């Protein structure tokens, strides 16, 4: 495909240089144009029909004019950008599970397929979940903070304060998609008993990873750890509310790496303040970043991180390689593995 021109719009996680190197390896004779936003040093933004985007649409539009493809992680692929590529742009590749930084309606109107990578960071997120479960159940974040403050708290060895090992724990997974399945696989290696609630889960997949499908009520009442892996929908918004938290075992742990909107934050704060829950691991919030004065990140029982569960070198490197393969497939007239608007794919 000599003469093919691909714009590689990266950032400080998946750089334009990394995208360009993988595109050059997947497409012979390609010419790449690179640009980078300053995310995550500067936050992403919403607007012009896109969400969680980083970069200047006007600058991107100037680069896309005359290009055959655009490959990006977070660049704002707005209607303006797609219009600039009119007549030449044949595919947009996004190294994310959900291409929310693309105006899909505008892309479909322009006849430009948008390929993406569902489950691209499932390994990183699953390892984060299991690692932080272990830390939080054993009280390690609080102990580390105490020691950093100059206090040696030997009472962490008291029987009434020590936590469970995973091999003795029942872990409930709310959502058994790609990430939930991988978490279940890792938990099985530790010997944990795994429950799962997901109305759309295939029973054979649950059985494969050793998870027993149950109702949400059964899961909440029967789990030492409840870990959230559900998509955000009208049905799942605030699925963990005051009633759900009250139904959890006293001393249980809540882990949320999915979406902040799945949890009622005021109800969670109350459950932690009362001592009903042992603690919480929160990598996502509503809103993000947390509002000034949000009490949850400051609570000693909360292991809070700024949406980092999916951050690893493997995610960056493998995502760049996979999206280059997907974009190359479309340019060669083949069907990609994952297209957000398949109606825009060529029919011939």
């Amino acid at each position: 495909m000599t003469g093919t021109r691909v714009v590689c719009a990266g950032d400080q996680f998946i750089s334009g240089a990394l995208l360009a190197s993988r595109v050059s390896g997947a497409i012979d004779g390609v010419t790449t144009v690179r640009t980078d936003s300053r995310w995550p040093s500067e936050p992403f933004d919403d607007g012009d029909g896109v969400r969680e985007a980083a970069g200047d649409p006007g600058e991107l539009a100037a680069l896309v004019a005359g290009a055959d493809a655009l490959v990006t992680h977070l660049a704002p692929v707005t209607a303006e950008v797609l219009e600039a590529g009119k007549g030449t742009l044949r595919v947009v590749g996004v190294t994310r599970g959900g291409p929310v930084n693309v105006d899909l309606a505008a892309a479909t109107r322009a006849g430009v397929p948008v390929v993406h990578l569902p489950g691209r960071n499932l390994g990183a997120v699953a390892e984060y979940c299991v690692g932080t479960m272990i830390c939080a159940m054993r009280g390690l974040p609080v102990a580390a903070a105490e020691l950093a403050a100059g206090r040696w708290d030997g009472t962490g060895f008291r029987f009434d304060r020590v936590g469970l090992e995973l091999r003795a724990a029942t872990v409930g997974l709310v959502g058994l998609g790609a990430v939930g399945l991988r978490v279940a696989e890792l938990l099985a290696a530790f010997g944990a008993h795994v429950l799962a609630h997901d109305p759309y889960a295939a029973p054979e997949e649950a059985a494969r990873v050793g998870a027993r499908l149950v109702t949400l009520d059964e899961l909440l009442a029967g789990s030492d750890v409840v870990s959230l892996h559900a998509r955000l929908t009208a049905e799942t918004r605030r699925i963990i509310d005051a009633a759900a938290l009250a139904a959890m075992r006293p001393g249980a742990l809540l882990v949320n790496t999915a979406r902040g909107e799945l949890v009622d934050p005021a109800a969670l704060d109350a459950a932690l303040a009362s001592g009903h829950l042992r603690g919480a691991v929160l990598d996502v919030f509503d809103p993000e970043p947390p509002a000034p004065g949000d009490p949850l990140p400051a609570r000693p029982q909360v292991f809070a991180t700024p949406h980092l569960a999916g951050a690893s070198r493997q995610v960056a490197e493998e995502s760049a390689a996979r999206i280059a393969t997907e974009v190359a497939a479309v340019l060669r007239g083949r069907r990609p593995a994952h297209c957000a608007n398949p109606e825009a794919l060529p029919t011939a």
Side-chain angles (χ1 to χ4, degrees), residues 86-174:
K86 187 175 181 179
T88 62
L89 191 65
R90 296 165 56 195
V91 60
V92 170
V94 181
T95 60
R96 305 177 72 177
V100 295
N101 55 307
V102 179
D103 186 334
L104 272 181
T108 302
R109 288 195 300 271
V112 177
V114 178
V115 295
H116 60 122
L117 304 176
R120 60 115 183 204
N121 59 6
L122 68 90
V125 174
E127 288 190 7
Y128 173 100
C129 286
V130 175
T132 54
M133 282 178 198
I134 294 170
C135 289
M137 282 196 297
R138 302 281 294 278
L140 302 186
V142 175
E146 287 289 297
L147 191 56
R151 294 184 290 271
W152 180 276
D153 184 10
T155 61
F157 243 105
R158 280 178 17 189
F159 185 81
D160 62 340
R161 288 187 57 182
V162 295
L164 295 173
E165 297 176 32
L166 276 178
R167 65 188 174 93
T170 297
V171 181
L173 307 179
V174 180

Side-chain angles (χ1 to χ4, degrees), residues 228-265:
L228 306 183
H229 304 286
R231 290 185 178 277
L232 179 63
T233 65
E235 290 73 28
T236 61
R237 185 179 296 273
R238 299 288 190 265
I239 191 171
I240 304 299
D241 57 11
L245 291 162
M248 289 174 62
R249 284 182 175 178
L253 174 74
L254 179 70
V255 179
N256 188 11
T257 58
R259 284 290 182 268
E261 296 91 335
L262 299 176
V263 178
D264 181 333

Side-chain angles (χ1 to χ4, degrees), residues 24 38 40 42 51 58 73 93 118 127 175 188 211 280 289 296:
S24 296
R38 287 185 48 76
E42 295 177 358
R51 295 190 296 111
H73 177 213
E127 288 190 7
L296 286 171

Side-chain angles (χ1 to χ4, degrees), residues 27-51:
I27 304 172
D28 293 334
V30 68
T31 298
T32 59
V33 179
R34 299 178 299 184
T35 185
D36 286 301
S37 74
R38 287 185 48 76
W39 184 88
S41 295
E42 295 177 358
F44 51 53
D45 203 358
D46 299 345
D48 293 331
V50 301
R51 295 190 296 111

